[in-house]
């Protein structure tokens, strides 16, 4: 993928899911998937962000074979996109 010179140093990009990557039907368009795949192939680390549960963001993107991270539950859950393995589970301290 040819990346414009001003973006050549970009190593990580984060994308919101609802209303940004997805349309009104909660689907990711082929154009968006194609762009994400090109970024992934160019070595740009992808971070998908959502207020929803991680599985809501992971299914479509995992099926597309993308690599990267999911920041879900408004950032309380961080997981690998491929495995949805949680690396930052929510921790609550009793008062």
């Amino acid at each position: 993928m040819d990346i414009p010179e001003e973006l050549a140093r970009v190593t990580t990009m984060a994308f919101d899911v609802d209303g940004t990557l997805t349309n009104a039907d909660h689907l990711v368009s082929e154009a968006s998937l194609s762009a994400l795949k090109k970024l992934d192939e160019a070595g740009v680390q992808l971070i998908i962000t959502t207020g929803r549960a991680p599985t809501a963001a992971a299914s479509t993107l995992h099926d597309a074979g993308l690599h990267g991270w999911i920041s879900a539950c408004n950032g309380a859950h961080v997981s690998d996109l491929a495995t949805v393995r949680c690396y930052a589970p929510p921790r609550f301290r009793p008062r």
Side-chain angles (χ1 to χ4, degrees):
M1 173 181 171
D2 286 331
I3 297 177
E5 186 176 331
E6 61 272 10
L7 295 178
R9 289 180 275 164
V10 172
T11 59
T12 305
M13 294 184 85
F15 301 90
D16 177 54
V17 175
D18 298 315
T20 305
L21 281 181
T22 59
N23 58 24
D25 296 322
H26 304 288
L27 300 173
V28 181
S29 72
E30 287 298 321
S32 291
L33 282 175
S34 175
L36 289 170
K37 285 180 185 179
K38 288 177 183 177
L39 289 168
D40 189 27
E41 291 166 1
V44 175
Q45 182 137 344
L46 304 175
I47 302 171
I48 305 302
T49 63
T50 182
R52 296 177 180 225
T55 52
S59 60
T60 300
L61 301 172
H62 180 269
D63 292 347
L66 296 172
H67 304 92
W69 297 90
I70 299 171
S71 173
C73 303
N74 291 324
H77 179 106
V78 175
S79 60
D80 180 277
L81 183 58
T83 63
V84 194
R85 178 177 172 221
C86 184
Y87 287 91
R91 300 183 196 277
F92 301 99
R93 293 184 187 156
R95 292 181 182 217

